[in-house]
Amino acid sequence: MELCFQRIRSTSRFDKAQHRLCQLPKGHNGNHDEFPYLRHLQKTNPTVAAKIKRDATMTTGAAWKSDDAGPNRILRWMMILSDEELLRYGVNMAALSEQVVAKLREKAANYDACMRVARKLAWFAYQMPRAPIPPEPIQTYLENFYGPINSHSAYCLVCRQPLEFNLFANARRGKADVETAHSNPRIHDDNNVGFAHRACNIAQGAKTLPEFYAWIRDILNRVDASHSS
Amino acid sequence: MELCFQRIRSTSRFDKAQHRLCQLPKGHNGNHDEFPYLRHLQKTNPTVAAKIKRDATMTTGAAWKSDDAGPNRILRWMMILSDEELLRYGVNMAALSEQVVAKLREKAANYDACMRVARKLAWFAYQMPRAPIPPEPIQTYLENFYGPINSHSAYCLVCRQPLEFNLFANARRGKADVETAHSNPRIHDDNNVGFAHRACNIAQGAKTLPEFYAWIRDILNRVDASHSS
């Protein structure tokens, strides 16, 4: 499927650095749209649609301790720009602590990758048990990229247990029980993302999934050895 | 070893709720002291001594978002008191969110248990590779409660790998790489605490250690089954 990729007009100062592009099929009718496959979730489950957009395109928030600690969230593709370029957009990286800069920079991803991530996350969300059924055009659009949407077939990226759609709503201390997760936390692209239980995502931490599995396997080997000795 | 347990004078409003007691051996000379076994670490590694006191006696801090979210840390034994009693000490639990109250209340522990935890943590710290050597009176005091101090024999409570004393100093995002950990996170007593790598403590989360090990064993079973199928 070829996409339209026409520039979408925006008044955000950041969108001068990277134009937002229409993701509808080439030759579509009607207005350009950056997230056409989210139109349905925006109506049925607006917080889920907003979460998919946010996780796909923004750096994660940190518990910044002070106002001068920097932006809580910023567009991931801005984090590809040099400090000098960012200054022109009013983002002064030099004013941030080394740790905050590292945390922001490690979330860098180009615009196209972020768009692919949002699309893949929408495809995943529709596969969760208890997810709404997508309208046919959205289903066709998403399946064109990632294959059949089998409802009730979504698993946690980390623990491989089923992941129910209603976990999005279970807010706990302001956090949903399901989070966007990365097989390799340093790569933000559609072949590397999925959803995971919050506890699983936290346990994985900065490790890749293979590193995480090797780590817990070693832990169990040591625990088992100490019990049998 | 019988301890002195004489009341230590204090001007803190909170110490009217629970008197602080001298932990020196009964019949000791000199001033009463609540943490006599920390006197040496207070000189050689003051941040470690402060961490042991803080972790043993205070609720953990949360990333409170606003000033009215409540105290960041409070004495654990205050959290045993009823809301009515706490009001008399100037702590208004009714003004805090349900989540903050739950987080504070789950850290409740009585004074004696907190004192035992501090003592046990000091005993652990001296066993870490690269730890300073305790003066003989402190070594005797701690060994009287918990057995021989074998230097270089401290393991992470969670992953069972060696835990080096200098991890206390490796601050990362304001956090040391070693944390106080609990086999059962809901029980704060000396037979249930130890030190753990920060990543291990985070991965364990709210689970007991047996729950954590069962959880990661199940994960590996699912991962292995999916690879062999």
Side-chain angles (χ1 to χ4, degrees), chain B residues 7-105:
Chain B
R7 177 179 167 189
I8 293 178
R9 287 175 192 282
S10 159
T11 56
S12 163
R13 61 182 165 145
F14 293 131
D15 289 341
K16 285 170 192 153
Q18 165 65 57
H19 303 313
R20 292 175 176 266
L21 304 179
C22 175
Q23 307 289 322
L24 277 164
K26 200 168 185 173
H28 68 87
N29 295 320
N31 292 338
H32 296 311
D33 192 344
E34 198 181 18
F35 297 102
Y37 49 83
L38 288 180
R39 284 177 184 173
H40 171 242
L41 282 177
Q42 273 160 350
K43 284 179 199 155
T44 59
N45 303 83
T47 59
V48 176
K51 178 179 175 55
I52 289 173
K53 273 194 202 181
R54 189 174 61 237
D55 289 357
T57 63
M58 309 293 278
T59 65
T60 42
W64 311 128
K65 292 259 166 115
S66 63
D67 289 342
D68 60 295
N72 187 304
R73 291 179 181 273
I74 192 166
L75 293 164
R76 286 175 181 267
W77 51 89
M78 296 299 287
M79 285 300 101
I80 296 173
L81 303 180
S82 68
D83 285 10
E84 293 70 31
E85 289 171 302
L86 283 168
L87 255 187
R88 284 193 271 135
Y89 295 99
V91 178
N92 184 8
M93 299 297 277
L96 308 181
S97 77
E98 201 179 323
Q99 287 139 359
V100 170
V101 168
K103 198 172 163 75
L104 289 170
R105 289 289 188 190

Side-chain angles (χ1 to χ4, degrees), chain A residues 63 65 72 99 102-103 106 158-161 171-174 199-200 202-204 207 212-220 222-224 226-227, chain B residues 63 65 72 99 102-103 106 158-161 171-174 199-200 202-204 207 212-220 222-224 226-227:
Chain A
K65 293 260 165 115
N72 188 303
Q99 288 139 357
K103 197 172 164 76
E106 80 184 10
V158 177
C159 82
R160 312 277 176 106
Q161 284 204 300
R172 186 181 294 168
R173 290 187 190 144
C200 293
I202 288 173
Q204 183 194 345
K207 298 178 178 71
F212 175 70
Y213 296 139
W215 179 63
I216 61 178
R217 202 180 296 275
D218 284 348
I219 290 176
L220 290 176
R222 281 190 295 274
V223 168
D224 293 344
S226 72
H227 284 172
Chain B
K65 292 259 166 115
N72 187 304
Q99 287 139 359
K103 198 172 163 75
E106 80 183 11
V158 178
C159 83
R160 312 277 177 107
Q161 282 203 301
R172 185 182 296 170
R173 291 185 189 145
C200 293
I202 288 173
Q204 183 193 345
K207 297 177 178 72
F212 175 70
Y213 296 139
W215 179 63
I216 61 177
R217 202 180 296 275
D218 285 347
I219 291 177
L220 290 176
R222 282 191 295 274
V223 169
D224 293 344
S226 71
H227 284 172

Side-chain angles (χ1 to χ4, degrees), chain B residues 114-173:
Chain B
C114 292
M115 291 298 105
R116 288 192 293 270
V117 166
R119 201 169 64 190
K120 184 72 169 285
L121 291 178
W123 179 80
F124 270 124
Y126 278 121
Q127 311 214 32
M128 290 181 169
R130 294 173 181 251
I133 308 293
E136 195 276 333
I138 288 180
Q139 177 165 354
T140 303
Y141 181 97
L142 293 173
E143 290 187 341
N144 171 74
F145 291 104
Y146 302 117
I149 290 179
N150 304 308
S151 46
H152 306 272
S153 70
Y155 290 83
C156 169
L157 184 72
V158 178
C159 83
R160 312 277 177 107
Q161 282 203 301
L163 207 54
E164 293 220 351
F165 189 83
N166 53 5
L167 289 178
F168 280 118
N170 282 0
R172 185 182 296 170
R173 291 185 189 145

Side-chain angles (χ1 to χ4, degrees), chain A residues 5-227:
Chain A
F5 287 150
Q6 284 297 301
R7 177 178 166 188
I8 294 177
R9 287 175 191 280
S10 159
T11 57
S12 163
R13 61 179 165 146
F14 294 131
D15 289 341
K16 287 173 192 151
Q18 164 66 56
H19 303 313
R20 291 174 177 268
L21 304 179
C22 174
Q23 307 288 322
L24 278 163
K26 200 168 185 173
H28 68 88
N29 295 318
N31 291 338
H32 296 311
D33 192 344
E34 197 181 18
F35 297 102
Y37 48 84
L38 288 180
R39 284 178 185 173
H40 171 243
L41 282 177
Q42 274 160 352
K43 284 178 199 155
T44 59
N45 303 82
T47 59
V48 177
K51 178 179 175 55
I52 288 173
K53 273 194 202 181
R54 189 174 60 237
D55 289 358
T57 64
M58 308 292 279
T59 65
T60 42
W64 311 129
K65 293 260 165 115
S66 63
D67 289 340
D68 60 295
N72 188 303
R73 290 179 182 274
I74 192 165
L75 293 164
R76 286 175 181 267
W77 50 90
M78 296 299 288
M79 286 299 102
I80 295 173
L81 303 181
S82 68
D83 285 9
E84 292 71 30
E85 289 171 302
L86 283 168
L87 256 186
R88 283 194 271 135
Y89 294 99
V91 178
N92 183 8
M93 299 296 277
L96 309 180
S97 77
E98 200 179 324
Q99 288 139 357
V100 171
V101 168
K103 197 172 164 76
L104 289 170
R105 289 291 189 187
E106 80 184 10
K107 305 294 181 187
N110 70 47
Y111 176 80
D112 291 343
C114 292
M115 290 300 104
R116 289 192 293 270
V117 166
R119 200 169 65 190
K120 183 71 169 285
L121 292 178
W123 178 80
F124 270 124
Y126 278 121
Q127 311 215 31
M128 291 181 168
R130 295 170 180 252
I133 309 293
E136 194 277 334
I138 287 180
Q139 178 166 353
T140 303
Y141 181 97
L142 293 173
E143 290 188 340
N144 172 74
F145 291 104
Y146 302 117
I149 289 179
N150 303 309
S151 47
H152 306 273
S153 70
Y155 290 83
C156 169
L157 183 72
V158 177
C159 82
R160 312 277 176 106
Q161 284 204 300
L163 206 55
E164 293 220 350
F165 190 83
N166 53 6
L167 290 178
F168 280 118
N170 282 0
R172 186 181 294 168
R173 290 187 190 144
K175 300 275 192 177
D177 281 346
V178 56
E179 298 185 343
T180 298
H182 297 75
S183 299
N184 179 336
R186 283 162 295 287
I187 299 173
H188 188 66
D189 211 338
D190 55 350
N191 57 9
N192 190 55
V193 295
F195 288 116
H197 297 103
R198 179 168 157 72
C200 293
N201 200 26
I202 288 173
Q204 183 194 345
K207 298 178 178 71
T208 67
L209 274 186
E211 286 167 352
F212 175 70
Y213 296 139
W215 179 63
I216 61 178
R217 202 180 296 275
D218 284 348
I219 290 176
L220 290 176
N221 287 341
R222 281 190 295 274
V223 168
D224 293 344
S226 72
H227 284 172

